[in-house]
């Protein structure tokens, strides 16, 4: 069975759905800050999949990783990791209990974490259900606009080097 998030009054809930499709609730800026993503230095905010792939390719090492907002599911994040020239993406989200989890390889037991940094630390180890351990963090630029998005000028500067 699959699960769906329901979001109201800054509270996430998770409930069974009859379909196999995952449906996620919306996350407000306040919920994002409460969830602690703003304190995670590899969180790049609302960048495109393509920009994430460019940043990882620029890092050039297997195990390079970053977190970004999902482009398709509101309130969900993508843990992106480089391995052998490909970027593998894993959804990261809050459960009904406020714990963080990541969707990993089929058959791997779902793990829960109190903080995103604990989730990242766990996946730094081998054989955790992702393509390669998280080895080389790709840190976000320091400039953010008022909506929490990274300023385009800083990314253009980063890509020029």
């Amino acid at each position: 069975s699959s699960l769906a998030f329901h979001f109201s009054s800054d509270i996430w809930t998770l409930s069974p759905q009859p379909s196999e499709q995952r449906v996620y609730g919306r996350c407000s800026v306040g919920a994002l800050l409460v969830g602690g993503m703003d304190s995670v230095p590899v969180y790049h905010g609302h960048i495109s999949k393509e920009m994430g792939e460019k940043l990882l390719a620029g890092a050039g090492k297997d195990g390079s990783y970053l977190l970004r907002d999902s482009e398709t599911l509101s309130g969900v994040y993508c843990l992106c990791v480089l391995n052998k020239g490909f970027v593998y993406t894993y959804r990261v989200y809050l459960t009904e209990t406020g714990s963080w989890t990541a969707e990993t390889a089929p058959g791997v037991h779902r793990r829960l974490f109190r903080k995103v940094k604990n989730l990242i630390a766990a996946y730094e180890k081998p054989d955790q259900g992702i393509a390669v351990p998280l080895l080389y963090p790709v840190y976000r630029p320091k400039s953010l606009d008022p909506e929490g998005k990274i300023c385009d000028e800083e990314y253009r500067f980063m890509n020029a080097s």
Side-chain angles (χ1 to χ4, degrees), residues 5-157:
F5 283 105
H6 301 280
F7 181 77
S8 63
S9 305
D10 294 330
I11 303 295
W12 283 96
T13 59
L14 196 66
S15 61
Q17 291 292 314
S19 74
E20 287 301 313
Q21 191 175 35
R22 288 186 184 266
V23 180
Y24 297 89
R26 295 188 65 85
C27 181
S28 70
V29 172
L32 172 64
L33 295 176
V34 169
M37 196 62 81
D38 61 321
S39 66
V40 179
V42 296
Y43 173 61
H44 288 253
H46 186 71
I47 63 170
S48 68
K49 174 183 174 183
E50 291 77 19
M51 178 59 73
E53 289 173 351
K54 284 181 186 177
L55 292 170
L56 291 169
K61 295 180 184 176
D62 287 353
S64 296
Y65 68 95
L66 60 80
L67 272 164
R68 63 173 176 80
D69 293 339
S70 171
E71 292 180 299
T72 56
L73 298 169
S74 225
V76 176
Y77 308 95
C78 295
L79 174 60
C80 306
V81 60
L82 182 67
N83 187 36
K84 298 181 181 167
F86 294 97
V87 174
Y88 293 81
T89 302
Y90 305 92
R91 288 184 179 148
V92 173
Y93 55 91
L94 282 170
T95 67
E96 71 280 3
T97 61
S99 296
W100 290 95
T101 192
E103 290 182 357
T104 57
V108 175
H109 181 71
R110 182 174 84 152
R111 299 177 63 189
L112 302 174
F113 303 91
R114 290 186 65 211
K115 297 179 180 179
V116 174
K117 68 178 185 175
N118 299 347
L119 181 148
I120 291 170
Y123 291 106
E124 290 173 345
K125 299 175 181 86
D127 303 319
Q128 300 299 309
I130 63 174
V132 64
L134 305 178
L135 300 173
Y136 305 104
V138 176
Y139 298 111
R140 73 173 172 261
K142 296 189 186 328
S143 301
L144 297 175
D145 71 13
E147 295 178 355
K149 296 179 183 174
I150 294 158
C151 297
D152 289 338
E153 295 78 28
E154 187 142 1
Y155 273 118
R156 278 196 290 275
F157 174 76

